[in-house]
Amino acid sequence: MMRNIVLIAVAFTALPVLFCNADPIPLYLDLELLQLDNPPFRLEGQVMVPLEEFSRYLGATVDYGRIMGQKLIRWAQGIALLPGDYLYAKDGIYYIALADIITLIGASLHQIDNAYHVRVEPVFLKTIAVDITGITLRFDSFLPVAPKGIEEDLLVLRFYNCRITPEIERRIDLDEGKIRYVTIHALSQRVVEVQIQLRVPAHMRSKAFLAEGFFSVQLLFDQDQLAKTEIRERIGPHIQHHEIMRDFGWGNVRVNYLYIADWRNHFRLVPVVSDNGIGELSSLTEMARRYGAVAAINANFFDTATGVPVGLLIKEGTVLSINHSRRAALGIDFFGRLTFFRPKVALFLRHRDEKISITAVNRPMRDNEIVVYTPGYAGPISRPLDGLYRIITLRHGRVASIRDSQFITAEQEAYLIVAAGDSKRYLRDLQVGDMARIGFALDPADPFITDAVSAGPLLISDGVVALDLELEAFSPGSPLVIRRTDRSLIAVDWLGGLIFLTVNYANFADLITILNALPVRVQHAMAFDGGHSSSMVLLDSAIYREFSRGGRVAVGLILVPLNR
């Protein structure tokens, strides 16, 4: 879906506190005086209007979610991100200059004396369909909708910047089903109210779908199901964004997920780390933007003290971190196929006909270990040990240098193989100039896997619940397992669809409940790091929208077009 995208630069960064509100400022929309709960006022020569309340009358919504710390405004022709310091806060309400919001949305403004007249193109309610299960309203473009009254058997909705086409029936009566009747009437030139009278109290589930030149709202009523609201939005030809607000039985939950149909024919999945190397953290948005990704989700756990990833991480055939016990991992093979499994990895140095076992990769040394450090590693290397380290530098598949030292310095373009204590004897036969390379083997074996990320636990395997905390070395009573917080996961369905999902309030077991409630049947699913790390980003035309916590992460999993 093509839309106009605007990223607003800061026009006034420090508005003075002085304002004047002595004289009312008449504000008209299509010759109709607007009665705002938060009236406009003058500030240093500018007329300030309440951002959320006034935008609604112009056909725009304002999202105060955690999207890069900014306010997201959406209207029929586009979306825009406003920096927080672009707005003025008064008594807990955000205000914006009238001229700025008019210019942004593409409306017209005309001043006569002290009055301001606004003109904006309306959205039309084109059709309404009512049956025994619910009601569907179809519009020719996006518009704001807000509930204005919810009782056990009566629901009142208001649609802003809306007009009714002449063919719309103003009252629809039903002889059976949950709905007794529906009435539609205009409260003003641009506000339409819909009242739904039910025969018996029922839970409502709502869905919204947005595409170019089309917007629909569907309300379904059921006596047995929990309340649910769903918004669906198509982003380009292959990606659909879903936002679900629902009480799953443990409280109100917000789920955001991306569904990418037939994804392997259009995209590839790529693990990425901070541009500053292993041991540094970056925002997921920064990672996605650097590689031109259309979507991304956070992946591995990481050590909060060092920034080093925890769990299996393989990138382009190079192991950057080894697995923790048999925690779930996502393998990506040479052909782009995915494997959800619980692997163990054996890392080794191949020298002549010998395989020398390597203890770990990219983490601080311990005594009697051999640890390899990949090019660009930025995390800590050594802890105080008695004696000297044996340090071998590998460049282009050959031993470039060998030295014994108490000091270890990371290399930007070479591998370091470092041995301590008794393990130094395993490296005594290596000579400068020898051919040597670092290899790995997975159990279960899959020679085609070139990339992998890990976190866990595995949630669903071949359509069956696969949660096994003991096998993956999770403590069943730990906060990591049972605490309800932000969570991230990846899944695939049986039809070749890919799912990125974040939820704001769930534990590991809850994730399975959420997956089972999706409209597609999930084949495989695993959890990623949660809490402050939980993050998902989506490229919506030229702007990256961020969902969930959006903290800095060690590893991201990005979705990149095949032609990039």
Side-chain angles (χ1 to χ4, degrees):
M1 181 174 126
M2 299 302 296
R3 288 185 294 232
N4 297 324
I5 306 296
V6 183
L7 181 59
I8 302 299
V10 177
F12 44 95
T13 58
L15 287 173
V17 178
L18 296 177
F19 60 88
C20 176
N21 199 27
D23 298 322
I25 302 174
L27 193 57
Y28 292 86
L29 180 62
D30 281 355
L31 301 178
E32 188 172 39
L33 181 65
L34 292 180
Q35 302 291 341
L36 300 177
D37 294 335
N38 301 283
F41 59 88
R42 296 187 185 277
L43 176 67
E44 290 293 302
Q46 298 186 87
V47 175
M48 308 298 294
V49 293
L51 175 63
E52 187 170 5
E53 185 181 6
F54 183 67
S55 295
R56 185 184 301 139
Y57 284 97
L58 299 184
T61 60
V62 179
D63 185 355
Y64 288 88
R66 293 183 292 267
I67 304 176
M68 298 183 288
Q70 298 164 329
K71 310 296 181 288
L72 179 70
I73 300 181
R74 179 186 300 275
W75 68 103
Q77 286 76 37
I79 62 174
L81 289 170
L82 296 179
D85 50 5
Y86 189 75
L87 306 171
Y88 181 81
K90 176 175 174 280
D91 298 329
I93 304 297
Y94 284 100
Y95 290 80
I96 188 171
L98 174 62
D100 289 342
I101 188 67
I102 292 297
T103 301
L104 176 64
I105 291 179
S108 300
L109 181 64
H110 185 61
Q111 182 178 355
I112 301 177
D113 297 327
N114 191 43
Y116 293 84
H117 293 262
V118 177
R119 183 170 58 83
V120 65
E121 291 298 319
V123 174
F124 285 91
L125 173 60
K126 304 291 286 186
T127 65
I128 179 169
V130 182
D131 60 26
I132 61 173
T133 62
I135 174 174
T136 301
L137 302 104
R138 296 182 178 89
F139 305 86
D140 61 3
S141 191
F142 174 81
L143 81 171
V145 55
K148 281 300 178 181
I150 301 177
E151 300 177 7
E152 283 190 346
D153 59 354
L154 177 66
L155 172 66
V156 180
L157 298 176
R158 287 184 184 173
F159 298 85
Y160 292 83
N161 192 38
C162 182
R163 287 184 175 175
I164 308 171
T165 54
E167 59 270 20
I168 295 291
E169 292 185 63
R170 301 307 175 97
R171 178 177 173 120
I172 303 172
D173 292 275
L174 277 78
D175 296 329
E176 58 180 342
K178 305 291 191 306
I179 299 174
R180 184 184 300 276
Y181 62 82
V182 177
T183 61
I184 305 101
H185 63 279
L187 293 181
S188 66
Q189 293 187 56
R190 294 297 183 94
V191 180
V192 172
E193 184 172 276
V194 176
Q195 294 189 6
I196 305 167
Q197 180 68 57
L198 303 176
R199 282 192 168 82
V200 293
H203 294 289
M204 182 190 76
R205 293 179 292 131
S206 67
K207 295 182 179 182
F209 182 74
L210 174 64
E212 189 171 7
F214 178 84
F215 180 63
S216 71
V217 176
Q218 185 179 31
L219 308 173
L220 301 172
F221 297 92
D222 195 294
Q223 291 172 278
D224 303 317
Q225 296 204 19
L226 295 170
K228 172 184 173 183
T229 299
E230 181 178 356
I231 299 172
R232 293 182 296 156
E233 179 182 7
R234 183 167 295 281
I235 309 294
H238 309 295
I239 300 177
Q240 194 170 82
H241 168 231
H242 297 247
E243 182 176 45
I244 299 172
M245 288 74 73
R246 176 176 174 179
D247 183 349
F248 282 91
W250 60 86
N252 292 322
V253 173
R254 181 185 297 269
V255 177
N256 278 283
Y257 75 92
L258 305 180
Y259 183 79
I260 304 98
D262 194 26
W263 72 275
R264 281 186 56 211
N265 284 326
H266 308 285
F267 305 101
R268 56 192 175 95
L269 280 174
V270 180
V272 293
V273 299
S274 170
D275 206 25
N276 296 320
I278 295 288
E280 295 289 340
L281 305 179
S282 294
S283 74
L284 192 63
T285 299
E286 291 171 355
M287 293 177 173
R289 182 178 292 113
R290 187 168 77 245
Y291 292 95
V294 297
I297 194 166
N298 68 292
N300 292 51
F301 297 112
F302 62 90
D303 187 325
T304 56
T306 64
V308 174
V310 175
L312 184 63
L313 176 59
I314 305 174
K315 182 170 172 57
E316 296 176 352
T318 298
V319 178
L320 301 178
S321 176
I322 62 172
N323 213 16
H324 179 76
S325 297
R326 278 198 178 266
R327 289 211 173 153
L330 176 72
I332 308 167
D333 75 6
F334 178 76
F335 304 101
R337 297 173 299 188
L338 302 184
T339 300
F340 291 74
F341 64 149
R342 296 184 176 105
K344 293 192 74 172
V345 61
L347 199 61
F348 55 84
L349 175 68
R350 183 180 291 279
H351 176 239
R352 297 174 183 156
D353 295 329
E354 184 181 11
K355 286 184 179 179
I356 302 170
S357 178
I358 294 174
T359 312
V361 59
N362 291 337
R363 69 156 171 77
M365 290 288 304
R366 298 170 188 160
D367 204 6
N368 301 317
E369 287 187 338
I370 299 177
V371 177
V372 61
Y373 297 97
T374 58
Y377 174 71
I381 291 182
S382 63
R383 293 173 175 165
L385 298 173
D386 294 332
L388 302 176
Y389 297 106
R390 169 62 56 94
I391 305 169
I392 294 176
T393 304
L394 286 185
R395 295 180 188 274
H396 309 298
R398 291 187 179 273
V399 177
S401 68
I402 302 174
R403 60 191 175 93
D404 295 320
S405 175
Q406 290 181 318
F407 306 101
I408 308 170
T409 304
E411 293 275 352
Q412 288 298 312
E413 298 179 357
Y415 289 86
L416 289 185
I417 302 170
V418 182
D422 293 341
S423 293
K424 290 188 290 186
R425 60 191 174 93
Y426 296 112
L427 304 182
R428 62 191 175 193
D429 292 336
L430 274 78
Q431 302 293 324
V432 173
D434 283 356
M435 294 185 66
R437 66 178 181 84
I438 297 167
F440 69 91
L442 291 173
D443 175 23
D446 189 335
F448 290 108
I449 286 180
T450 59
D451 299 84
V453 295
S454 174
L458 191 65
L459 302 170
I460 294 176
S461 179
D462 285 323
V464 178
V465 173
L467 186 62
D468 191 330
L469 299 174
E470 184 177 350
L471 178 61
E472 297 193 32
F474 287 102
S475 176
S478 69
L480 176 63
V481 173
I482 64 175
R483 185 164 65 95
R484 289 191 167 112
T485 184
D486 295 74
R487 303 280 182 177
S488 303
L489 65 83
I490 186 171
V492 293
D493 69 4
W494 292 88
L495 301 176
L498 177 69
I499 299 167
F500 286 175
L501 184 149
T502 62
V503 55
N504 70 330
Y505 187 62
N507 57 32
F508 286 154
D510 296 337
L511 293 179
I512 296 173
T513 301
I514 293 171
L515 287 168
N516 287 333
L518 295 182
V520 295
R521 186 173 171 227
V522 172
Q523 181 184 18
H524 301 292
M526 63 171 281
F528 283 141
D529 194 8
H532 289 285
S533 301
S534 177
S535 184
M536 181 176 74
V537 300
L538 167 65
L539 181 62
D540 190 349
S541 294
I543 290 178
Y544 282 102
R545 297 164 56 190
E546 189 162 354
F547 305 91
S548 200
R549 289 289 188 94
R552 295 168 68 80
V553 300
V555 182
L557 188 63
I558 64 173
L559 191 69
V560 181
L562 286 178
N563 59 1
R564 190 167 300 166

